Amino acid sequence: MSSIAKKSQSTLNTALFALGLDKGGRQPLHAQLADALRALILSHPGAAGTRLPASRTLAAELSVSRMTITTAYDQLLSEGYLSARAGSGTFVADHVPHLAPPAPAVPHHPPDPRPIRPFQPGIPDPALFPDRLWARHLERAWRRPDPALQAAPDPFGWYPLRAAIAAHLAAWRGLECDPAQIVVTAGASDAFDLLFRAALTPGDVAVMEDPGWSPLRAALDRAGLQTRPVRIDNEGLDPRALGAARAAIVTPSRHFPTGCAMPLARRLALLDWARSTDAWVIEDDYDSEFRYQGQPLPSLSGLDGLRRTIYLGSFSKLLSATLRLGYLVIPHALAETARAVLAQSGVRVSLVPQPALAAFMDSGEFASHLRRCRRTYAKRQALLLSELAPLASLLELQPDPSGMHLCCLLRPALRAVRSDAEISAACAAAGLNVRALSSHCVLPDPPQGLLLGYAGFDEETLKAAARTLVDVLSRAARKAFSTQV
Ligand SMILES: Cc1ncc(COP(=O)(O)O)c(C=O)c1O
């Protein structure tokens, strides 16, 4: 035996004699010994061919029965770690099975929540979320669940929620519909995916507003539709610019993101276009409940009686985007196709929050929540406008009768020296999330403006953020003006 082999034998055997087996432990002694011996062999790469102590000797050293030793040796013989030579004992095998080195441990930390930086548009204030009422309704619905909640669900959603949505739409959006026409979805993108498959065919042309909502563009691409962007003016989409298309997707009550409303004459012209060309008008009515002056504008789908219109609503802005709840209101004629699509694609929305939301709406608490948010958001908008007054020569600052963000166009003097994208980048460096209006456009020569979300931030945060914005913009403008002269 070489001196290296002798050394390995002695260190391996020394380690073996020093093993401490846990006699009161849950794992049988022979299994503990097999695990320890396997680990020793793997950690002594030069130990191939080493003779192990006789079972009787090792049993005496470890104060266990001989059977414990022979069972452990047999186990490792069968795994290929040991080999037996008749009459001369048990040896570490010449070729020990190769074990992949354990993967390096990846430190496991829950990811930090993505920070919501001031002026991010479109998020409701989480502090206004009715946590206690919500918890109570959830608890009531699921403590002793209605058996229907645990049976095969209706793919269109929990019926009482659909009935509550129908009542809400009649009261708030001038839209009379039957709960049977409502499909609960996992937010707006899910709703678009479903309705594109139910009402359109891949290759169809769909008109989208420009500027417009980027996730919509992605949903149109997913459905294999041809997107035709049409630039809007300060009355929204002009029906005369539509041409031949299978659908027009519009935000008539509050255009996203500019905030303008489509006047009645255009709404009627749009419906005429849909009827005469057999096209669909898809109304994305994402936050019209937040209207601060005058009456909420009735929905376009209400005006049409849901003949050539499909209505899309979401709870993301009215309650919380983390609920992932939205809905479609479809003409009766589309119901069967929508069911067929859902049977094929499967339902993506959870039933868990639906009975709680139904109860929250039926109790009148949802309407109170909306009124409370509306009062708070109106005050926040007024505060923001007054804090931004020093920027009046650079930005168009006008009160907006509705919504959760302001869309402020750059005045010509600022536009001449800075793009909205450059300003957005400078704001990001100062910790603000100010979106450039042009980032919502795909057509050339996009309008230049800044989107300033105010709804999701309390007064102190808004004041501090407004001061930073005044600072960033004044500095950017001063620098640009000075380098021009
Ligand atoms: C124009 C528009 N439509 C719909 C939605 C709702 O989207 P979701 O229900 O997927 O959160 C939003 C939310 O930001 C939006 O801006």
Side-chain angles (χ1 to χ4, degrees):
M1 186 187 279
S2 73
S3 62
I4 298 177
K6 266 195 197 141
K7 189 157 176 266
S8 285
Q9 172 159 348
S10 77
T11 50
L12 188 86
N13 286 352
T14 310
L16 204 47
F17 289 140
L19 274 183
L21 300 180
D22 179 5
K23 298 204 172 121
R26 285 228 224 117
Q27 199 186 13
L29 289 173
H30 63 82
Q32 291 183 41
L33 178 59
D35 286 352
L37 184 49
R38 198 185 292 109
L40 280 174
I41 293 170
L42 288 171
S43 61
H44 289 76
T50 299
R51 184 143 71 100
L52 294 184
S55 55
R56 199 184 304 275
T57 316
L58 188 56
E61 282 293 331
L62 299 182
S63 308
V64 294
S65 73
R66 206 175 141 216
M67 176 76 118
T68 300
I69 309 296
T70 53
T71 310
Y73 280 7
D74 284 348
Q75 174 68 33
L76 295 197
L77 278 165
S78 67
E79 290 178 15
Y81 286 88
L82 302 180
S83 62
R85 293 180 208 153
S88 43
T90 307
F91 297 81
V92 176
D94 287 336
H95 301 288
V96 166
H98 174 73
L99 283 194
V106 180
H108 184 73
H109 301 298
D112 288 335
R114 276 191 295 164
I116 295 177
R117 287 173 300 147
F119 298 135
Q120 180 170 328
I123 43 155
D125 186 348
L128 294 179
F129 185 82
D131 326 68
R132 272 199 285 163
L133 295 172
W134 182 250
R136 190 187 311 151
H137 288 301
L138 260 185
E139 208 261 350
R140 273 196 201 146
W142 287 98
R143 177 180 280 261
R144 265 185 295 282
D146 184 323
L149 282 171
Q150 286 163 319
D154 182 335
F156 275 20
W158 182 238
Y159 191 85
L161 175 58
R162 292 157 63 203
I165 291 172
H168 170 79
L169 291 174
W172 286 71
R173 306 298 306 118
L175 175 57
E176 298 290 340
C177 64
D178 182 337
Q181 293 174 273
I182 295 181
V183 188
V184 180
T185 64
S189 299
D190 183 35
F192 278 125
D193 286 346
L194 167 61
L195 83 86
F196 289 159
R197 289 180 65 193
L200 302 174
T201 310
D204 281 354
V205 174
V207 167
M208 176 183 167
E209 298 162 327
D210 187 282
W213 192 47
S214 317
L216 168 59
R217 207 168 288 122
L220 287 161
D221 288 348
R222 274 198 300 279
L225 298 166
Q226 291 183 57
T227 306
R228 185 191 308 142
V230 171
R231 177 66 38 84
I232 60 122
D233 59 22
N234 57 6
E235 295 190 337
L237 192 69
D238 185 346
R240 286 171 305 184
L242 287 172
R246 283 291 294 142
I249 304 143
V250 286
T251 48
S253 296
R254 185 177 151 77
H255 171 258
F256 182 86
T258 66
C260 69
M262 187 184 279
L264 184 64
R266 276 211 181 167
R267 291 176 183 231
L268 294 172
L270 188 57
L271 295 178
D272 273 350
W273 167 82
R275 286 176 199 141
S276 61
T277 61
D278 218 20
W280 291 108
V281 173
I282 298 166
E283 177 176 21
D284 178 1
D285 201 32
Y286 57 99
D287 74 354
S288 307
E289 282 83 348
F290 296 137
R291 186 148 194 104
Y292 312 121
Q293 288 162 25
Q295 289 299 307
L297 300 174
S299 66
L300 182 66
S301 306
L303 198 60
D304 173 55
L306 283 164
R307 275 170 298 192
R308 294 307 310 169
T309 41
I310 299 170
Y311 180 95
L312 191 145
S314 168
F315 290 96
S316 288
K317 299 189 188 240
L318 308 187
L319 212 43
S320 167
T322 58
L323 285 177
R324 303 311 309 137
L325 281 175
Y327 55 92
L328 282 174
V329 191
I330 54 177
H332 285 291
L334 278 183
E336 206 178 308
T337 334
R339 281 196 186 271
V341 171
L342 284 170
Q344 204 187 42
S345 63
V347 176
R348 297 190 199 151
V349 57
S350 165
L351 203 51
V352 171
Q354 295 187 43
L357 183 54
F360 183 61
M361 293 178 86
D362 286 342
S363 65
E365 291 154 359
F366 180 56
S368 315
H369 166 76
L370 291 181
R371 284 193 287 270
R372 184 164 157 238
C373 292
R374 205 162 53 178
R375 283 194 300 275
T376 310
Y377 296 167
K379 279 196 211 134
R380 289 180 182 178
Q381 189 197 110
L383 173 83
L384 179 60
L385 281 168
S386 81
E387 293 292 317
L388 295 182
L391 296 177
S393 61
L394 301 175
L395 294 179
E396 287 185 24
L397 295 169
Q398 266 149 24
D400 191 328
S402 60
M404 302 166 81
H405 69 261
L406 289 172
C407 177
C408 306
L409 295 179
L410 306 194
R411 289 203 185 272
L414 180 57
R415 212 169 51 217
V417 291
R418 285 279 182 267
S419 70
D420 59 1
E422 287 169 332
I423 298 172
S424 166
C427 289
L432 302 179
N433 185 348
V434 173
R435 295 235 189 104
L437 176 58
S438 63
S439 70
H440 291 273
C441 300
V442 290
L443 293 175
D445 197 16
Q448 298 284 304
L450 304 179
L451 306 188
L452 303 175
Y454 52 82
F457 308 98
D458 64 28
E459 284 66 12
E460 283 315 303
T461 310
L462 275 181
K463 276 190 195 168
R467 277 197 296 274
T468 310
L469 181 62
V470 170
D471 194 41
V472 170
L473 265 178
S474 315
R475 264 192 291 132
R478 256 200 317 272
K479 215 162 124 196
F481 294 147
S482 69
T483 51
Q484 263 199 341
V485 281

